[in-house]
Amino acid sequence: MIFSQDFKLQLIVPQTTYILKEPILVKGIVENTSGKTVTIAYGEKGFKTGISMKRADGKQRNDCMRPVYVDYMGYTSTEIAPGWKKEINEDLSYSCKDDPGEFIVQFGVSSQGPYINYSSDPEEPRRMEKEIDAWKGALSSEPLRITIEQPQGEDKKAYDYFKGEPMAKLDELLKKFPSSTYAAYVVYDRLKGFADADFNNPKFLRSLETGIFLSNSYPTEGGWSWMKDEMNAAWWSKWAGIILKNHPDIWFADELRLRLAMNQVALKNYQTAEADFIKLSKEAKPCIAEKAALFVEIMKQKGWV
C-alpha cells in the first residue's frame, strides 16, 4: 500500500503467476485518508484512476493503463468525505498482448489541473475563465511483479485449438477442455462478487428462503441454459468438483466452497450447510473464513440450526 497526505492506494492481485490468456483480474482501491473533505475535479485533466502493466525487462513497453473517467468538455467537481473509497477492477489479459515474461503492475491516480471552465453566457466574453479549486497531484501504488508463462498440458491443447483465444467459445471450451484453467474461469465469471455480498442483508436471506438464489442462467457444453433449484445446485457441484480436482490451489477455491455451502442453505439442507460453513471457518483463507463464521451465526438466529 502507498499513503500520501490525502490518499491511500492499494493494488490487489490474486496471484503472481499466470498462463497466456488466463484472466489477470486486478483491483485498485483509492481511499481518502486525509481526515478532511477533499475536492476533486472531473474532466480532461481531472481526477483519473488506472492500472498499468509493462514488461520488467524494459525491452517492450506495453502500458495498459485505462482511465475510469472519460474526458469531456468542461469540469465538474465533487467533494469526497474522509473515508471515501473508490475501486476499479480490470482484466489485464484483454488489454495487454505481450509474450510471456515478467511484468510490473501498478495502480495510480492523477489529476493535473488547472481546472478552467469557460463561460457559456452569450453576454460575457467568450473566454471568460473560471477556475475550480480542486486536488492536484499524482500517486502510484507499490509495483507488483507477475509472471506470464506458456500454457502446458490441457491448457496448451485448449490454447492451440482455439488459436490463442481459448475464451472465445465458452460452450465448446467446456465441452472439449473441461479441466483446463480457462474453463475454470468460465465458472468463476458466475461466481465473482459472491463472497463480497452482504450475507446479513434481508433481501439476500429472502432469496435463500424463496429459492431465487438458485435461479439463474449458466454456460453449458450446449450453450447457455436457465436453471433452478436442484438443477442449478447440480451445475455448481459438477463444475466446482472439476475445478477443485484439477486445480486444488486455484485462488478462488475457497469462494467456490463457500458457494457450495450456501447452495445447501437454499436447498434447506441446513445441517450439511452448517458443517460446511464451520469447516470453512477453520480452514479457508481469512476473508472467507470470516464470512463462513458469520453465516453460522446467521443460521442460528434464523432458527435454521
Side-chain angles (χ1 to χ4, degrees):
M1 290 183 287
I2 288 288
F3 292 84
S4 74
Q5 184 177 355
D6 297 313
F7 296 108
K8 178 179 75 173
L9 266 60
Q10 185 178 9
L11 175 64
I12 300 173
V13 179
Q15 61 187 21
T16 56
T17 302
Y18 297 84
I19 58 174
L20 279 175
K21 294 304 174 69
E22 176 182 357
I24 304 174
L25 306 175
V26 299
K27 177 185 294 185
I29 303 173
V30 55
E31 180 180 357
N32 177 6
T33 54
S34 67
K36 62 180 186 292
T37 298
V38 176
T39 300
I40 57 176
Y42 295 138
E44 182 180 0
K45 297 180 180 179
F47 194 85
K48 296 182 177 67
T49 60
I51 296 173
S52 64
M53 176 174 167
K54 60 184 180 181
R55 293 191 65 91
D57 57 19
K59 292 181 179 179
Q60 177 185 352
R61 186 173 185 277
N62 189 359
D63 192 340
C64 306
M65 188 167 183
R66 295 187 293 176
V68 172
Y69 304 107
V70 297
D71 296 346
Y72 47 86
M73 294 299 292
Y75 289 97
T76 60
S77 63
T78 186
E79 293 186 342
I80 55 175
W84 170 90
K85 189 179 292 186
K86 176 72 178 180
E87 71 176 50
I88 65 169
N89 295 274
E90 292 281 3
D91 180 357
L92 296 181
S93 68
Y94 289 120
S95 305
C96 308
K97 307 298 183 183
D98 288 285
D99 295 327
E102 189 176 25
F103 297 83
I104 298 173
V105 181
Q106 282 187 287
F107 170 57
V109 300
S110 66
S111 198
Q112 296 175 301
Y115 316 115
I116 299 174
N117 286 333
Y118 300 110
S119 174
S120 59
D121 188 338
E123 299 299 321
E124 293 183 357
R126 181 56 185 163
R127 296 190 60 80
M128 178 69 73
E129 298 180 353
K130 180 182 179 181
E131 182 170 0
I132 296 174
D133 183 18
W135 183 85
K136 300 181 182 71
L139 187 65
S140 295
S141 69
E142 294 176 348
L144 295 180
R145 289 177 178 256
I146 65 171
T147 301
I148 300 177
E149 300 176 342
Q150 291 282 1
Q152 304 294 326
E154 190 78 354
D155 293 329
K156 178 171 172 50
K157 292 178 183 177
Y159 184 88
D160 292 343
Y161 179 85
F162 290 105
K163 296 180 172 54
E165 297 294 340
M167 309 291 288
K169 298 180 179 179
L170 303 185
D171 53 348
E172 194 171 0
L173 173 64
L174 295 178
K175 182 177 181 178
K176 292 184 178 296
F177 308 101
S179 63
S180 67
T181 300
Y182 305 113
Y185 277 92
V186 175
V187 177
Y188 175 75
D189 191 60
R190 310 304 293 165
L191 178 70
K192 61 185 178 184
F194 166 68
D196 295 325
D198 179 3
F199 289 173
N200 210 17
N201 186 298
K203 290 183 178 180
F204 179 84
L205 296 173
R206 183 62 179 162
S207 75
L208 292 170
E209 294 172 323
T210 61
I212 294 176
F213 182 78
L214 289 176
S215 181
N216 213 326
S217 182
Y218 296 97
T220 72
E221 300 91 327
W224 285 79
S225 178
W226 185 266
M227 303 179 197
K228 296 177 61 178
D229 305 324
E230 287 82 1
M231 181 182 293
N232 185 301
W235 183 91
W236 280 106
S237 295
K238 171 187 174 179
W239 287 105
I242 292 173
I243 294 169
L244 296 174
K245 176 182 177 180
N246 293 280
H247 311 280
D249 298 323
I250 200 163
W251 63 269
F252 53 86
D254 285 339
E255 282 86 341
L256 272 175
R257 296 185 180 99
L258 186 69
R259 172 70 201 216
L260 293 179
M262 199 65 74
N263 286 353
Q264 293 303 313
V265 176
L267 292 172
K268 297 180 170 51
N269 297 328
Y270 297 132
Q271 299 301 323
T272 299
E274 182 187 27
D276 291 344
F277 283 126
I278 291 174
K279 183 177 175 65
L280 281 168
S281 71
K282 297 176 179 179
E283 299 177 0
K285 57 190 177 184
C287 61
I288 301 300
E290 182 179 348
K291 300 283 284 196
L294 169 67
F295 207 78
V296 171
E297 296 305 312
I298 292 174
M299 292 181 72
K300 291 177 181 178
Q301 293 170 13
K302 296 288 289 185
W304 293 341
V305 293

